Amino acid sequence: MPKTIVKNKRKHSPLRHFSYFLLGSLMGLVALTAFFVSQFEEKYKDRVYPGVTVGHIPFAGAQSADIERYWQSKNESFQKLSFTFQYENRSATVSGMQLDLGYDATLSGRQATSIGRNGSFASQLIQKYQGLTQGIDLKPFFRWDIQYLANVLDELATGIDIEPENALFEFQKGRVSAFKPAKYGRMLD
């Protein structure tokens, strides 16, 4: 008599089905997250991440050149200024253009686009998260040519500065033979 082979069909337990469901859901969630992250990174490639401001001006999605143009336009009013330093009949006038007075537009552009792109992977994530949740405000750097200003003031000082003189007392034979009072000096500060 031939033997009948009976296959033993094992039923998978509900726990095993639930485990597969959880694993599949987790893999789907990871894939969905990776998709959204890649879309986010593509959208902000070479652009400022959301939540980043410079001087409280929002620049999310802007490129470095956009930020530079903005701050350079703000510098136009500083270029038209003039400053007069005066003491009695001496004066010196300098313009904002001569002083190269204004915001460092290039620095502001570089700093804003570097948020979320520098440091370790973890610090980049923290910066992006902080920008999205709390915001990151960068202070614009204001600059001027300090050496040019120093040269102008040094030239002005040549007509203002007076060296102090000590008093002179000379005694000969117990008597004052020469006397000159002290003179105060002055110096441009």
Side-chain angles (χ1 to χ4, degrees), residues 2-21:
K3 285 188 173 180
T4 314
I5 300 175
V6 177
K7 290 186 179 179
N8 187 6
K9 289 188 179 182
R10 290 188 348 185
K11 285 189 172 183
H12 294 289
S13 70
L15 182 61
R16 191 172 200 173
H17 283 290
F18 185 69
S19 297
Y20 287 144
F21 173 75

Side-chain angles (χ1 to χ4, degrees), residues 14 22 30 33 41 69 72 74 78 81 92 94 102 104-105 115-116 118 129 134 136 148 166 170 179:
L22 278 180
V30 167
T33 302
E41 290 299 326
R69 276 192 295 279
Q72 285 171 349
K74 293 293 181 188
F78 296 119
L81 294 175
V94 293
D104 191 332
I115 298 292
N118 286 331
Y129 178 76
Q134 303 167 12
I136 297 173
Y148 183 83
N166 290 329
E170 276 188 23
F179 170 76

Side-chain angles (χ1 to χ4, degrees), residues 28-99:
L29 183 61
V30 167
L32 191 59
T33 302
F35 173 76
F36 283 120
V37 167
S38 70
Q39 291 299 308
F40 178 82
E41 290 299 326
E42 184 62 32
K43 180 179 180 178
Y44 291 102
K45 183 180 181 183
D46 299 326
R47 295 182 179 276
V48 177
Y49 285 115
V52 176
T53 60
V54 181
H56 303 291
I57 308 295
F59 284 105
Q63 293 181 318
S64 183
D66 300 327
I67 298 168
E68 288 179 35
R69 276 192 295 279
Y70 175 83
W71 289 108
Q72 285 171 349
S73 72
K74 293 293 181 188
N75 287 344
E76 290 174 9
S77 60
F78 296 119
Q79 300 294 309
K80 297 173 185 174
L81 294 175
S82 68
F83 302 91
T84 301
F85 301 95
Q86 185 171 352
Y87 180 79
E88 293 178 348
N89 62 347
R90 305 276 304 169
S91 67
T93 302
V94 293
S95 70
M97 186 177 291
Q98 291 170 313
L99 288 173

Side-chain angles (χ1 to χ4, degrees), residues 125-141:
L125 284 177
I126 290 168
Q127 288 177 354
K128 291 173 194 174
Y129 178 76
Q130 183 181 358
L132 286 168
T133 59
Q134 303 167 12
I136 297 173
D137 185 48
L138 303 171
K139 304 294 178 224
F141 179 73

Side-chain angles (χ1 to χ4, degrees), residues 122-167:
S123 69
Q124 291 177 17
L125 284 177
I126 290 168
Q127 288 177 354
K128 291 173 194 174
Y129 178 76
Q130 183 181 358
L132 286 168
T133 59
Q134 303 167 12
I136 297 173
D137 185 48
L138 303 171
K139 304 294 178 224
F141 179 73
F142 198 80
R143 50 135 175 89
W144 64 89
D145 187 344
I146 197 164
Q147 188 57 53
Y148 183 83
L149 181 60
N151 292 342
V152 168
L153 294 177
D154 285 346
E155 189 176 316
L156 182 62
T158 60
I160 295 174
D161 291 353
I162 298 174
E163 289 293 321
E165 293 181 21
N166 290 329

